Amino acid sequence: EVQLVESGGGLVQVGGSLRLSCVASGVAVDDYSIAWFRRAPGKERRLVSEITLSDDSTFYEDGEEGRFTISSDAAKSTIYLQIYNLKPEDTAVYYCAAHDYDCPQHGCWDLYNNWGRGTQVIVSS
């Protein structure tokens, strides 16, 4: 079992940048996959990016590779999501999620069963 705490959200102007943080605690996470999801107002929660900590392989939602960067800091047990060139449609609650099930490739989104409580990002013009 892993506990996840997100931080770094806030109010930012269109075109700005934010770095969200997810601190993982409770267990060693070397074999975990960690993902960032977001839920925009009136929409379902959707995957943004994923990192597999065993090999630091990453995945990004189609069309967003240029604006999102996911990374990890093993010493701090922290996973980051750097967002560039923020757009109004990026307004959402951003969630960190984790699983340690076997998944041979990225794409096993339904396996995520550990969640943080989210951090709010509001992009204004």
Side-chain angles (χ1 to χ4, degrees):
E1 183 179 352
V2 60
Q3 292 78 48
L4 305 170
V5 180
E6 305 96 331
S7 63
L11 177 65
V12 64
Q13 295 286 337
V14 169
S17 300
L18 282 176
R19 188 177 71 168
L20 308 181
S21 299
C22 171
V23 178
S25 62
V27 298
V29 296
D30 289 352
D31 294 326
Y32 276 74
S33 294
I34 310 292
W36 286 96
F37 291 76
R38 65 183 178 183
R39 195 202 315 269
K43 297 183 178 180
E44 296 182 354
R45 186 159 53 191
R46 298 280 301 277
L47 180 94
V48 179
S49 185
E50 181 187 56
I51 184 167
T52 300
L53 299 182
S54 61
D55 59 4
D56 284 338
S57 64
T58 59
F59 174 89
Y60 298 93
E61 182 182 9
D62 287 347
E64 304 291 351
E65 294 88 347
R67 298 198 303 115
F68 295 89
T69 301
I70 191 169
S71 62
S72 66
D73 185 331
K76 297 181 179 180
S77 297
T78 301
I79 297 85
Y80 302 98
L81 182 69
Q82 180 74 47
I83 313 174
Y84 303 96
N85 191 24
L86 283 155
K87 302 177 180 179
E89 55 264 39
D90 294 323
T91 295
V93 177
Y94 285 72
Y95 298 90
C96 183
H99 76 79
D100 63 350
Y101 296 100
D102 289 334
C103 181
Q105 300 179 13
H106 294 282
C108 306
W109 317 132
D110 290 341
L111 295 180
Y112 283 99
N113 60 349
N114 295 279
W115 296 85
R117 294 185 177 182
T119 184
Q120 174 71 248
V121 173
I122 300 175
V123 183
S124 66
S125 59

